[in-house]
Amino acid sequence: MKVKVRPGDTIWYYSQLFSIPTHLLIDSNLHVNSQNLQVGANVNIPGFVLKPYTIGDGDTLWKLAKSRTLLADALFLVNPGIEAENLQVGQLIQIPERVVNPVVNGNWKYDYEDLMKDIHELQAIYPFLQTRSIGKSVLGKELVELRLGRGTKRVHWNGSFHANEWITTNVIMTFLNDYLLALTNMAPIRGFYVEPLYLKAILSIVPMVNPDGVDLVLNGPPEQEPYKQEVVKINNGSLDFKDWKANIRGVDLNNQFPANWEIEKKRKEPKAPAPRDYPGDAPLTEPEVIAIEKLTRSSNFTCVLAFHTQGEVIYWGYEGLEPPEAETLVKEFSRVSGYEAVRFVDSHAGFKDWFIQEWRRPGFTFELGKGVNPLPLSQFEEIYQETLGAFLASLYM
């Protein structure tokens, strides 16, 4: 919701008027000088939308404001020129409505178009949520990073490295929406008031690393050639792509990082593009992986969490290079999720492996849920509740 600045208005006044933390207002208005608002400038009020309302018999601005737990001046602000003592039945005004319901519905097949639609809607309601493109997929889809928060701790989450693990994007986006709602409604999540987490940690999210692959699994082959024919050929002529893990070129994105990549190249069964497990002809050849690598190198992340499926385990070590605090973190993740913490596994060339190797900082691979990929949506709520505590712990620890 946008309002126009009046003489004497301040960010601190808007904070009182709409019961919104001042730092969320400041972070929603990086285009203005919060110390010296210019009359007539547009200011974003996060967590609110404007709804048209037709004046009925007996309505007053004070009654309308009270019914929405607002100060009456909020109505004057969004309806400039309105005369409080001369409202007419049938007159159309604007009412600021606090958003209390989620935008994201994670409990359905969630493709790239759904993701982008939700991102645009979330940013319109919560302008302190920053978005930027970090690169493009093989088919030219924007790889979007979402960023919010303050503080010195920098936490990164990502999902859908593997196409048939698309439910990880659903889980991440559902938590993000719940976090935004809790911030603007000053409400707890599992007993935690999350405003201190916002002030402690900058959160970076790439919710869908492999959008081409996710769309292939959910919607079938793309229209673009040569990929339309190539994916069918790689898939041995089958039009059933539910088991596809790779990107659209048949390269497994989580086997693409320069952390003993040569070992994976030698021992992996596929020696050419395949629905899964082919590590490519060299590390860092795929645009999706290059985008994550560049983001990570430029961001000074304190820790990273990569979400995959399945197994209900958390992998947290690599070659003994992980720092001591990684064990403290994974014990908390395990406690709040019920997942088993596994330090070492005979695997290389993954994002978590490379991050630990390069920075000697905590990196984690979460294998959400249990069963056969792709996990059914009937597991979504259970997986979300298991993961919710880990999302919070990554910010408060």
Side-chain angles (χ1 to χ4, degrees):
M1 182 181 84
K2 293 182 185 293
V3 300
K4 283 197 179 294
V5 176
R6 305 168 302 186
D9 282 355
T10 66
I11 286 289
W12 295 270
Y13 175 66
Y14 293 148
S15 176
Q16 287 184 318
L17 197 59
F18 295 102
S19 297
I20 291 289
T22 304
H23 48 268
L24 295 183
L25 281 161
I26 292 171
D27 292 350
S28 296
N29 292 284
L30 300 178
H31 63 290
V32 302
N33 181 352
S34 61
Q35 304 295 324
N36 186 23
L37 296 181
Q38 299 299 308
V39 173
N42 284 319
V43 170
N44 295 308
I45 308 296
F48 279 83
V49 293
L50 283 176
K51 295 286 184 70
Y53 180 84
T54 303
I55 296 295
D57 191 29
D59 279 342
T60 68
L61 290 187
W62 289 272
K63 282 184 180 179
L64 293 172
K66 185 177 180 181
S67 68
R68 290 158 175 81
T69 62
L70 292 170
L71 296 175
D73 198 35
L75 297 179
F76 287 105
L77 179 61
V78 301
N79 294 282
I82 194 170
E83 296 182 19
E85 304 299 336
N86 194 26
L87 291 181
Q88 303 296 316
V89 173
Q91 182 179 356
L92 188 66
I93 64 170
Q94 298 288 325
I95 300 282
E97 292 279 3
R98 187 182 291 273
V99 177
V100 295
N101 294 314
V103 168
V104 175
N105 175 13
N107 198 8
W108 71 327
K109 293 182 177 181
Y110 196 77
D111 64 13
Y112 180 74
E113 184 179 353
D114 296 322
L115 171 68
M116 295 307 294
K117 176 178 173 292
D118 282 351
I119 287 174
H120 290 144
E121 191 167 347
L122 288 174
Q123 194 177 32
I125 300 171
Y126 309 101
F128 57 88
L129 176 67
Q130 304 298 313
T131 66
R132 64 169 175 157
S133 172
I134 61 167
K136 292 187 177 181
S137 69
V138 172
L139 296 181
K141 297 183 176 76
E142 298 286 350
L143 303 175
V144 178
E145 182 205 24
L146 310 172
R147 192 168 284 211
L148 71 163
R150 298 182 173 192
T152 56
K153 183 175 182 178
R154 294 173 175 266
V155 179
H156 173 73
W157 305 339
N158 61 54
S160 292
F161 253 98
H162 289 144
N164 65 345
E165 299 172 12
W166 50 264
I167 201 169
T168 56
T169 298
N170 303 36
V171 172
I172 289 171
M173 290 299 294
T174 299
F175 176 81
L176 173 63
N177 200 163
D178 285 349
Y179 187 45
L180 295 168
L181 281 166
L183 284 167
T184 52
N185 288 280
M186 289 159 285
I189 300 177
R190 288 225 175 134
F192 278 91
Y193 282 93
V194 296
E195 186 181 354
L197 304 183
Y198 182 92
L199 296 172
K200 178 180 181 179
I202 295 171
L203 175 58
S204 158
I205 306 171
V206 178
M208 191 179 286
V209 176
N210 184 7
D212 299 343
V214 169
D215 281 357
L216 176 64
V217 170
L218 294 179
N219 303 325
E223 289 301 315
Q224 295 98 313
E225 293 292 4
Y227 304 104
K228 184 175 182 179
Q229 295 184 54
E230 282 297 313
V231 292
V232 177
K233 182 179 176 182
I234 293 169
N235 207 36
N236 296 317
S238 173
L239 293 177
D240 182 356
F241 292 94
K242 68 178 174 58
D243 296 324
W244 189 282
K245 289 179 67 177
N247 75 346
I248 204 73
R249 290 204 290 226
V251 177
D252 189 319
L253 299 181
N254 207 40
N255 276 315
Q256 265 272 291
F257 289 89
N260 288 314
W261 175 87
E262 297 79 8
I263 294 175
E264 295 300 300
K265 176 65 174 176
K266 183 176 180 180
R267 69 183 178 180
K268 286 295 185 185
E269 188 76 21
K271 303 303 178 187
R276 57 177 294 159
D277 299 337
Y278 176 59
D281 295 327
L284 301 176
T285 61
E286 301 309 291
E288 299 92 346
V289 175
I290 293 168
I292 292 292
E293 187 255 359
K294 287 182 176 177
L295 171 68
T296 306
R297 288 200 181 280
S298 65
S299 297
N300 194 28
F301 293 134
T302 307
C303 69
V304 301
L305 286 71
F307 293 94
H308 292 253
T309 59
Q310 50 74 39
E312 297 186 352
V313 297
I314 308 164
Y315 298 114
W316 63 279
Y318 185 67
E319 301 286 273
L321 301 174
E322 64 283 350
E325 61 264 29
E327 184 171 10
T328 303
L329 278 167
V330 82
K331 284 180 177 177
E332 181 68 358
F333 292 153
S334 181
R335 183 187 73 82
V336 297
S337 67
Y339 285 10
E340 179 186 3
V342 176
R343 185 174 186 181
F344 297 128
V345 63
D346 186 18
S347 179
H348 303 277
F351 170 68
K352 175 268 294 179
D353 309 328
W354 170 74
F355 180 80
I356 294 172
Q357 171 189 276
E358 292 295 306
W359 282 274
R360 306 296 202 270
R361 293 176 183 171
F364 305 91
T365 298
F366 281 72
E367 298 285 356
L368 308 183
K370 217 163 197 177
V372 177
N373 290 330
L375 295 179
L377 281 169
S378 59
Q379 286 195 32
F380 170 77
E381 189 59 35
E382 180 182 357
I383 291 171
Y384 180 63
Q385 293 304 324
E386 290 168 348
T387 314
L388 181 57
F391 284 134
L392 292 168
S394 72
L395 300 175
Y396 67 66
M397 287 292 289

